[in-house]
Amino acid sequence: MSPPPLEIHDLTVAYHKKPVLWGVDLVVPPGKLVGIVGPNGAGKSTLIKAAMGLLPVSSGWVKVFGEPVAKNLRRVGYVPQRESVDWDFPVSVMDVVLMGRYGKLGLLKRPTKADHDKARECLDKVKMLPYANRQISNLSGGQQQRVFLARALAQESDLYFMDEPFSGVDAATESAIIALLHELRAAGKTLLVVHHDLPTARNYFDMLLLLNMRVVAFGPTEEVFNYETLQKTYGGRLTILSEVAEAVRVKG
Amino acid sequence: MNSRTNRTTVRLLYLLSSLLYLLFTTPAHAARIGDLSETSLWDQALRFLTFQDPSVRYALLGSMLLGISCGLLGSFLVVRKMALVGDALSHAVLPGVALGFLWNMSKDPVAIFIGATLAGLLGTAVVNLLKQTTPLKEDTALGLVLASFFAVGICLVTMIQRLPTGNKSGIDKFLFGQAAAIGAADVQLMAVVTGLVVVVIALFYKEFLVTSFDAGFARAVGLPVQAFHYGLMLLLAFAVVIALQAVGVVLVSAMLITPAAAAYLLTDRMHRMLLLAAVFGMAAGALGAFLSFLGNNLPTGPFMVLAATAVFAAAFLFGPRHGIVARWWRQRSRAARIQRENTLKAIYHVLEARNFQGEGVSFSELAERRRETEEEIQVQAAALARHELATLPGEADALFLTPAGWQTACAIVRNHRLWELYLTHTAQIAPDHVHEDAEKIEHVLGEDMVRELERRLNYATKDPHGKVIPGVPVMLETKPEATPGYGRSA
Amino acid sequence: MNELIPLFEFQRVFVTPWTQDFSSSVWIVLMGFFVATACGLVGNYLILRRMALVGDAISHSILPGIAVAFLISGSRGSLPMFLGALVAGAVTTVLIEVIHKKSRVKQDAAIGIAFTSLFAVGVILISLFASKVDLDQECVLYGEIAFIPLEGMVEFAGLTLGPPSVVRMALVTLVVALLVGLFYKELLVSSFDPALAFSLGINSTFVHYALMAMLSVVVVSAFEAVGAILVIAMLILPGATATLLSHRFPVMLGLTVLHAALSAVLGLHLGVWLNCSLAAAMVVAGTGLFIAAAAVFGYQQTHAHEHSQNNNLRGRRGD
């Protein structure tokens, strides 16, 4: 049997000796669309950053397709939070999407015509091709998110990490993104998506990872998405609990 | 991007080599700068512009070379929001300059280069150390390093000046810069460093781009982000150090920041910004060297900085897209268009009130409708006539719409009523709450959006107040102006 | 090298300044102390508001203000200097705001552009009118604290008070200390939580500009003694050192004064020993104190403050 796309063992991450993630164990099967949900400060972004080796870990290890993550970064795609970059930066939409090809290009090599074609194809998939030559600050929030997605597509990876791709986007972009995620899953890719909104989480994802510093639950959505585990994840936060109750009611 | 960045690199290399050509081919005769003391401004300018004096050539070449390297590296500082790191680094080199000088008690370019680079790098390392091991924030750490390194430097400089050999050392020229003190050896070093900067940036352009734009992503694709950061700091230290002699420790940071910021205002692409910043830096360097040469014993640095500031001010005020004047002009023309459209709308309302009987609309009718004086109406009518939206037959105080004016008037009224209907119909807003909103939207609705609204409203013909939504008469040319704003939100 | 660093003679370095040269040493040390105290008190708020580099900017850009004041009034009187500095300080603040708000240039670059341009104007004015302006480029950089004893004395009501610049600096320090004492809570609240300040009815914009005005006045009076760039050290070093040693604001203010006194005295001895610029030596002494504080306390504080309760102040600002 081929090794799983992502295997995390006893991962602990700390800022200034204060743990943010604690003893995370996780094995993600291939071809799944996995939502990572949990309250603010639960360590959702930290988990995917640590899984890619972007943060120093206090203990534990991460394997991607059976290899340490640093060796297999080419098979990993990443969509960071939209707010993590300066959108006034003097680059065009095309420039940003081409960055997705840099990992495969290696040092000193320039993007070739094939890379440009690939970037154009990815822009077309997110319906942003007409904007290819725009400077990125002239885009709406949803369009910026699509550009980031196109860049991740251009990475042609097998395992994707996405940090809140649905935050601050319009409804049209949200449904476009979800269609794209389904398409990727159909192509056999594995996707881990940090998600904020509980009611939609139930509909969007095959599997859910409920996180609050530790893994509260991980499994197929219909098994995990119930009042008990959600209460464990979110503690006594009433507003969210009522939202959850509503979501559970709709489901039942 | 491939060919574009290549072209940028080629242009930069061309610039560099033509400078070097200037250095080594122009014949050298005539006196050195200092030899003549009583000269007029005009003579001085002439002497400078004929390049006969080798020290003038060195000063000019050196100033242009430093402008190129500072402009290139400053661009990365500006887009990375690290402008003040450049400031701290440039002050922190002073003790290194003094120590390099002490090495063999002379202004040996190489010793000073090494000493200053090490001091600059030590300064940036201390900033990082302070940020990581103390609760001090970045700005405090930068200010601290800047001022304390500088104080150590001043101690050393004053100690050197006290020495019997130190007084005429010219080390004080490093504070405010003296381009005339640049010699052949200095220019060679500057050319080597500038060449290095151009080549490194050209080779690793895409890495510098992605690590500056999105460091997290760059690490996720496996790039050594830290290495590129330190590489940039090293090049930056080089650029600062070669600029010291001409610009001076105190003002070097301006040569890093100001030309790059001016370029940042003028373009939306990094490779063009690099090219522009290099050109601006070069121009500021040359102009500064020229101006300081005109007076007696004037420092060069401040003149270069002011030349760069002038470029920035021009870009800030007159930049075609982001400039203040251009933006003011766009706002003004938008306001004028809205004013015209409102007048047209009022004309439509007048015509509608008399069931479209008769073609002319008198100024008094219009003034009553808009609750304005006839003088104001006359001004508006003249504006409509200028844009060929209406004609004003001389004798009567009345105006007649042209076909284009009629079409625009219909379009505006249609937009207004469609939007009111949409708000009451789809968004369930009470009919008496929708007018204000529609007053704004009517001017920005694009044709596509109008089609979409019409479709969603099942091609309704009456607005919520029961008035007819006019169709727009089909004509040769359609809308008078492109509609900004639409198409931005997906 | 032996020429560079004079022999360390205890007698010459530590005793002579307080016996034979007492009358000059005492004024130099007092001046250094007043400058560092006034700067340090204002600097504490700059650090708290993350505006350390605005202090940097203003201390550079008052130079054209001073030069123009000289050229217009033809004298070195206090009033024209203060006015010139206030105007220059205001121009800097406004320029930074305009560049930053009206274009997409970010604040850091806006600061860098504004102060270097103004400083360049100042240097050019000074070198063009060098004969008329009683200032030179070196003085701009590191001041003339060593010449203070040569100024003559100010007398008031029959009492000999001291050299005029020391008396002036003492007054400025006194006013700053009074203002900091009187408006203690307004300054603190608006520095650390403008929203809370607004709800308490404190006008944060006014506090901001008042602080900038205070900064300009302090910087211009310190200018003659320590020059434009060493002022930054005087602004930041005392507060930064105090930050490492305490998290309680009143204690920090006290430590600021202590740091100022120690760096003035130690700086004098260092400067006498090395025979270098006394103002720079005072800053180097202050840096030494900072390094000592960082070496002993810096590392522990980082970790302590993760858990400490009374540190919500810094935690809030960190968001």
Side-chain angles (χ1 to χ4, degrees), chain A residues 188-225:
Chain A
K189 317 281 190 189
T190 309
L191 303 105
L192 276 85
V193 180
V194 172
H195 193 57
H196 221 94
D197 183 45
L198 262 183
T200 51
R202 191 172 64 89
N203 301 324
Y204 285 173
F205 301 107
D206 307 333
M207 299 181 80
L208 283 181
L209 170 63
L210 300 182
L211 193 70
N212 193 350
M213 277 178 65
R214 329 181 63 148
V215 176
V216 179
F218 175 59
T221 304
E222 57 274 14
E223 287 173 24
V224 177
F225 197 89

Side-chain angles (χ1 to χ4, degrees), chain C residues 139-156:
Chain C
C139 161
V140 167
L141 286 181
Y142 46 85
E144 290 176 332
I145 202 168
F147 297 151
I148 282 171
L150 308 177
E151 281 175 4
M153 296 287 165
V154 173
E155 293 195 10
F156 181 74

Side-chain angles (χ1 to χ4, degrees), chain B residues 81-83 87 102 133 137 139 144 147-148 150-151 154-155 158 162 175-176 250 254 264 267-268 309 327, chain C residues 4 50-52 56 102 104 106 108 116-117 119 137 141-142 229 233 237 274-277 283 287 298 302:
Chain B
K81 290 177 255 177
M82 284 168 52
D87 189 36
L102 283 170
T133 62
K137 298 294 177 287
D139 62 329
L144 230 157
S148 33
F150 190 77
I154 289 291
C155 272
T158 47
R162 172 178 51 78
L175 293 172
F176 289 113
V250 187
Y264 183 60
T267 174
D268 281 340
T309 306
R327 263 195 289 175
Chain C
L4 186 74
R50 309 231 178 147
M51 285 169 56
D56 176 17
K102 296 277 173 186
R104 54 185 191 154
K106 303 289 185 297
D108 61 332
T116 51
S117 309
F119 192 70
Q137 292 171 14
L141 286 181
Y142 46 85
I229 299 176
L237 270 174
L274 295 177
N275 193 7
C276 65
S277 156
V283 173
T287 310
T302 330

Side-chain angles (χ1 to χ4, degrees), chain C:
Chain C
M1 270 328 223
N2 285 343
E3 282 177 76
L4 186 74
I5 300 178
L7 275 183
F8 181 80
E9 304 159 73
F10 186 81
Q11 179 77 16
R12 181 176 73 83
V13 173
F14 282 106
V15 179
T16 319
W18 299 109
T19 52
Q20 214 171 318
D21 303 328
F22 179 78
S23 60
S24 58
S25 302
V26 74
W27 295 125
I28 291 173
V29 166
L30 270 179
M31 185 66 178
F33 169 69
F34 287 138
V35 167
T37 305
C39 288
L41 289 177
V42 177
N44 263 315
Y45 292 101
L46 295 183
I47 293 174
L48 203 59
R49 293 167 162 248
R50 309 231 178 147
M51 285 169 56
L53 292 163
V54 175
D56 176 17
I58 290 201
S59 60
H60 278 84
S61 53
I62 58 156
L63 186 62
I66 291 178
V68 169
F70 263 145
L71 288 175
I72 292 176
S73 74
S75 80
R76 223 171 156 149
S78 306
L79 192 64
M81 296 254 288
F82 280 148
L83 284 179
L86 274 178
V87 171
V91 167
T92 318
T93 322
V94 170
L95 265 185
I96 293 173
E97 287 285 299
V98 166
I99 295 177
H100 163 56
K101 295 260 164 71
K102 296 277 173 186
S103 79
R104 54 185 191 154
V105 171
K106 303 289 185 297
Q107 196 181 11
D108 61 332
I111 292 176
I113 294 167
F115 86 78
T116 51
S117 309
L118 286 164
F119 192 70
V121 170
V123 175
I124 289 175
L125 284 177
I126 288 175
S127 31
L128 283 179
F129 302 100
S131 51
K132 287 182 207 147
V133 179
D134 185 18
L135 263 181
D136 59 17
Q137 292 171 14
E138 274 75 42
C139 161
V140 167
L141 286 181
Y142 46 85
E144 290 176 332
I145 202 168
F147 297 151
I148 282 171
L150 308 177
E151 281 175 4
M153 296 287 165
V154 173
E155 293 195 10
F156 181 74
L159 276 168
T160 310
L161 292 178
S165 52
V166 178
V167 173
R168 191 172 59 207
M169 195 68 226
L171 281 175
V172 169
T173 311
L174 197 68
V175 170
V176 168
L178 271 176
L179 286 175
V180 167
L182 280 177
F183 298 104
Y184 178 79
K185 66 176 191 304
E186 283 80 2
L187 275 167
L188 189 63
V189 169
S190 77
S191 296
F192 118 84
D193 191 345
L196 176 65
F198 182 78
S199 71
L200 295 177
I202 298 167
N203 186 339
S204 288
T205 321
F206 176 75
V207 173
H208 173 80
Y209 281 98
L211 193 66
M212 289 297 106
M214 199 150 87
L215 177 66
S216 302
V217 169
V218 167
V219 168
V220 72
S221 31
F223 180 83
E224 261 185 278
V226 297
I229 299 176
L230 296 177
V231 165
I232 307 155
M234 299 283 191
L235 285 168
I236 299 176
L237 270 174
T241 312
T243 308
L244 297 183
L245 299 179
S246 169
H247 286 129
R248 297 197 46 243
F249 204 67
V251 181
M252 280 165 65
L253 291 178
L255 286 170
T256 302
V257 178
L258 181 67
H259 181 276
L262 282 176
S263 38
V265 174
L266 293 177
L268 175 79
H269 292 302
L270 185 69
V272 168
W273 171 35
L274 295 177
N275 193 7
C276 65
S277 156
L278 288 177
M282 285 178 184
V283 173
V284 173
T287 310
L289 293 173
F290 172 80
I291 293 172
V296 180
F297 295 102
Y299 190 71
Q300 299 167 0
Q301 292 292 343
T302 330
H303 295 288
H305 99 243
E306 292 298 326
H307 308 288
S308 77
Q309 279 294 314
N310 60 2
N311 196 291
N312 57 356
L313 182 147
R314 191 163 295 98
R316 292 280 285 278
R317 304 229 358 127
D319 282 342

Side-chain angles (χ1 to χ4, degrees), chain B residues 310-321:
Chain B
V311 174
F312 176 81
F316 181 74
L317 292 175
F318 307 115
R321 251 189 299 171

